[in-house]
Structures are given as structure tokens and as C-alpha cells.
Amino acid sequence: MKFFDPHIHMCSRTTDDYQAMAAAGIRAVIEPAFWLGQPRTNVGSFIDYYASLIGWERFRASQFGIAHYCAMGLNSKEANNEGLAREVLEILPQFILKEGVVAIGEIGYDEMTPAEEYAYQAQLKMAVDYDMLVMVHSPHRDKKRGVLRSMDVAREMGVPMHKLIMDHNNEETVRDVLDYGAWAAFTIYPNTKMGSARMVEIVREYGPERIIIDSSADWGVSDPLAVPKTAQLMLERGIDPAAVELTTWTNAISAYAQSGQIDVDALMQTPVIDQRQSYSDNSVLRGQKPRVDEPVPN
């Protein structure tokens, strides 16, 4: 099976993780912009970070046959530094239309402060102005209220629900998201958010329509193989293989291909890897022999 992990923070992961992900069947990822664990102090650090998502990380993934896309945005935690947030919002349009950017995200609420509201609405307006998808981070506290607020504001701002991917859902929010017509994404993350066994039961109860499974693996205790592991558990527990494919591959493509940035036919092909390549004079190799595949015949 092929897998698509449409929410994973690869700048926090090692190159070994890319290797393991490729071996497990992960063919494509989306890396949404998020915070570093400590506050950034100036707009230049955002510029360098955004550049890395469309530069080095995309290259690093390609060296293991993984298609790397990203979402650009100012996350909710950093929206509360209001002066810096406004500077970031000014430079964000320079990045959202770059090649490989499939959405504005991940954006939304954390504490649901006025500053977060301002940044969220400003970025929703960008999405409407540039006809882009939106990846929304739902708050970890008071989640149901935050999810409903996120969708209501997006709709009021003119974002079509079929272009809204609501992430970090749970049993309390899934029905509302599906009823609104948005995509319901679920983060398989140890100890918090959603576990694989619970995910199996959600798919069993609600079916696979507009449901997307991701890992959100980052610098915390997390698993970059959460998507294929959850797929395996679904199969073991009797979920229809067609539903497994929809929730771990097809639905993510259907949602994010609306961006026009995803070459679906290319994703279906076996990737050809040449690790002799470099990016800004740097490679993923540290002395080992490069993998060089034979060209695929036409």
C-alpha cells in the first residue's frame, strides 16, 4: 500500500525517519508551518524557516522517494506576539504561492485570544483572496467550542467548506466537522490527541468519507510511522481495505489536489532516486555510498 501523511513536521525529524517512512510505504507528506517549541524573536527567523519548507526539506524528502508539500502560515501560539505577528502576516504572501505549497496552515486557535482571532481572520482572507485551501489547528483545550468557532469564522470569511481541512479531531468533534462539509483530519499521536485503536472505531462508526489520518510527528514524543501502523491495525480489525486506502491515501490527495500543486499521476509512479544530488552544496549523505536508481523505461 501507498500512504500519504498530510500533517507531519519533518524539520523536527531525522533523515533516518525519512528512510523508515519510505520503507513503510509513505509516498507523500505535507509539512505545515508550526512553532519551534520556543518563541521566534524576529521576522527573519520566519523567513528562513518558510524558505526551508520549500527548499531543503523538499529536497531531503526527495532523496528517499517521498514527495514533500507544505502549508504556510502563522500558527496560533505565535500569533499572541502581536507586533511580530503583524510583521509575519506582511511577508506571508511572498511564500504562499510558491511551488509545493498546498494550503495556508496550520492556523487557528490555541487559547482563543483576540490576537489569535486577528491572525486567523487575516490568513483566512488570504486564502479567499488567493483561492487556497486552509489547514486548521484545533485547540487542545475546549476543543469542541474551538472547532465550531474555527469553522463558523472560516465560513463567515468566505472559505468554502470543501477547502477547509479541520485537524486534530476526536470523537467529540467528528460529527460536527462532517456535517459542516469540511474534511475531518485525525492526528495519531501517542498519549494525546488520538490513538490508533480509537481511530479504528471512528472509521467503523462514521465510514471513510472526508476522513484523513495523519501523524503530526514533531519534536515531541511522536511516531512518523503512525499512518501505516494505523492502516495495519484497521485491516487487522476488519475495516474494509477500500476504507483504509481512502483514509490513509486517497482522501488526502482528493483534498489537497484542489490546490493544483499535486501531480497525482507522478505519485502513482515508482520514484527514481539519485542521492548524488545536492541542495545549496549540501546532501543527505555523510560519507556513505549514494543510492542511484536506474531510470524507469518509458
Side-chain angles (χ1 to χ4, degrees):
M1 293 183 69
K2 291 184 177 69
F3 302 106
F4 196 142
D5 189 338
H7 187 144
I8 183 167
H9 299 290
M10 291 308 300
C11 69
S12 304
R13 311 302 308 192
T14 67
T15 300
D16 290 351
D17 289 326
Y18 271 126
Q19 198 168 33
M21 290 161 61
I26 295 175
R27 180 67 182 87
V29 299
I30 296 172
E31 181 164 3
F34 83 138
W35 79 303
L36 299 180
Q38 68 180 41
R40 294 176 178 90
T41 59
N42 64 82
V43 71
S45 62
F46 281 92
I47 291 171
D48 289 342
Y49 171 58
Y50 293 153
S52 75
L53 295 182
I54 55 177
W56 170 248
E57 283 306 327
R58 190 175 186 190
F59 168 77
R60 191 162 69 116
S62 74
Q63 295 298 281
F64 297 92
I66 295 175
H68 180 285
Y69 309 98
C70 69
M72 293 287 183
L74 172 68
N75 74 86
S76 53
K77 290 183 74 70
E78 290 179 302
N80 288 295
N81 182 340
E82 295 183 56
L84 181 55
R86 289 175 185 267
E87 290 185 67
V88 175
L89 293 173
E90 287 182 8
I91 60 98
L92 195 54
Q94 300 174 27
F95 293 94
I96 60 176
L97 299 180
K98 296 290 189 181
E99 183 178 358
V101 179
V102 296
I104 292 180
E106 57 183 302
I107 64 174
Y109 299 108
D110 182 45
E111 299 288 349
M112 300 184 71
T113 64
E116 293 170 12
E117 183 84 31
Y118 176 84
Y120 182 49
Q121 292 195 24
Q123 292 175 97
L124 290 173
K125 185 178 186 306
M126 288 183 203
V128 172
D129 289 346
Y130 293 102
D131 191 23
M132 294 187 69
L133 285 87
V134 180
M135 180 194 290
V136 178
H137 163 93
S138 59
H140 303 303
R141 295 166 295 280
D142 202 2
K143 184 175 287 290
K144 185 177 178 69
R145 184 169 73 93
V147 166
L148 291 172
R149 176 65 179 164
S150 298
M151 293 190 295
D152 284 340
V153 172
R155 191 157 60 183
E156 291 166 6
M157 295 290 296
V159 177
M161 288 297 100
H162 67 274
K163 289 196 168 186
L164 188 80
I165 298 92
M166 194 78 222
D167 212 340
H168 309 320
N169 284 285
N170 61 20
E171 294 88 345
E172 185 182 34
T173 63
V174 56
R175 182 75 274 162
D176 290 320
V177 175
L178 294 175
D179 286 348
Y180 269 66
W183 298 85
F186 293 82
T187 296
I188 310 302
Y189 199 98
N191 307 315
T192 62
K193 299 177 183 175
M194 175 62 57
S196 294
R198 290 165 59 198
M199 191 69 237
V200 172
E201 297 311 311
I202 286 174
V203 174
R204 195 188 309 279
E205 179 175 356
Y206 293 97
E209 184 180 358
R210 280 186 286 115
I211 286 180
I212 295 171
I213 297 173
D214 60 56
S215 72
S216 193
D218 56 15
W219 32 253
V221 177
S222 51
D223 187 354
L225 301 182
V227 173
K229 287 179 179 178
T230 302
Q232 181 61 38
L233 185 63
M234 285 196 287
L235 292 172
E236 291 172 359
R237 297 195 176 181
I239 300 297
D240 186 341
V244 176
E245 184 175 19
L246 280 167
T247 56
T248 62
W249 174 254
T250 309
N251 285 349
I253 293 174
S254 297
Y256 288 102
Q258 295 179 90
S259 66
Q261 290 289 331
I262 295 178
D263 185 339
V264 179
D265 290 338
L267 285 185
M268 302 304 296
Q269 304 302 315
T270 300
V272 176
I273 296 171
D274 183 353
Q275 293 182 339
R276 296 170 300 184
Q277 298 173 345
S278 63
Y279 181 85
S280 294
D281 297 324
N282 191 22
S283 81
V284 297
L285 304 179
R286 291 299 180 266
Q288 68 267 41
K289 182 179 178 181
R291 171 182 166 182
V292 181
D293 295 346
E294 292 292 330
V296 176
N298 293 327

